Amino acid sequence: QLQLVESGGGLVQAGGSLRLSCAASGRTSSSPSWGWFRQAPGKEREFVAGIRWSGTVTSYAGSVKGRCPISRDEPRNTLYLQMSSLKPEDTAIYYCAAGSGLALMSSSSYDAWGQGTQVTVSS
């Protein structure tokens, strides 16, 4: 069974940067779709960015497009989200996910989730 562990969250000032990492253990080959989601207090979980493990396809939410490229390191079985020009509205718990579904933006495509890492952006 695939296990995902996020790291890299923290407190940063507006305009700053963070790199989130998601270390995967288990059968990564059975999960072609990988993504980052976030959930802010009082809000529903939302899609942030997704990527095919092959690296051929990426998808982004409009709110982060151009600021938060997603990437993966296949030999290290690690997924990344490089976040820059951070805004207070980016404050949320960020979750890594993996799954066999093909719709990167849909949470139903994912069946393995990490425990989350907190990102807080101060103004």
Side-chain angles (χ1 to χ4, degrees), residues 14-26:
S17 300
L18 284 174
R19 187 176 79 159
L20 305 185
S21 300
C22 173
S25 59

Side-chain angles (χ1 to χ4, degrees), residues 27-46:
R27 294 185 58 192
T28 57
S29 60
S30 63
S31 299
S33 295
W34 293 71
W36 289 97
F37 288 74
R38 68 186 182 187
Q39 187 167 19
K43 296 187 177 180
E44 293 187 355
R45 185 172 56 189
E46 64 176 2

Side-chain angles (χ1 to χ4, degrees), residues 9-119:
L11 173 63
V12 64
Q13 289 188 332
S17 300
L18 284 174
R19 187 176 79 159
L20 305 185
S21 300
C22 173
S25 59
R27 294 185 58 192
T28 57
S29 60
S30 63
S31 299
S33 295
W34 293 71
W36 289 97
F37 288 74
R38 68 186 182 187
Q39 187 167 19
K43 296 187 177 180
E44 293 187 355
R45 185 172 56 189
E46 64 176 2
F47 170 78
V48 177
I51 188 171
R52 291 272 187 267
W53 194 249
S54 63
T56 55
V57 178
T58 57
S59 182
Y60 295 94
S63 58
V64 304
K65 195 170 186 178
R67 298 191 296 123
C68 303
I70 188 172
S71 62
R72 90 277 182 268
D73 185 327
E74 192 168 2
R76 289 187 168 86
N77 279 352
T78 302
L79 182 73
Y80 299 103
L81 186 70
Q82 180 66 52
M83 307 176 70
S84 61
S85 301
L86 284 163
K87 307 172 184 179
E89 51 263 44
D90 292 318
T91 295
I93 299 174
Y94 284 72
Y95 298 92
C96 169
S100 57
L102 298 181
L104 289 173
M105 299 179 68
S106 173
S107 60
S108 62
S109 292
Y110 304 90
D111 45 41
W113 295 81
Q115 83 290 348
T117 186
Q118 176 72 48
V119 171

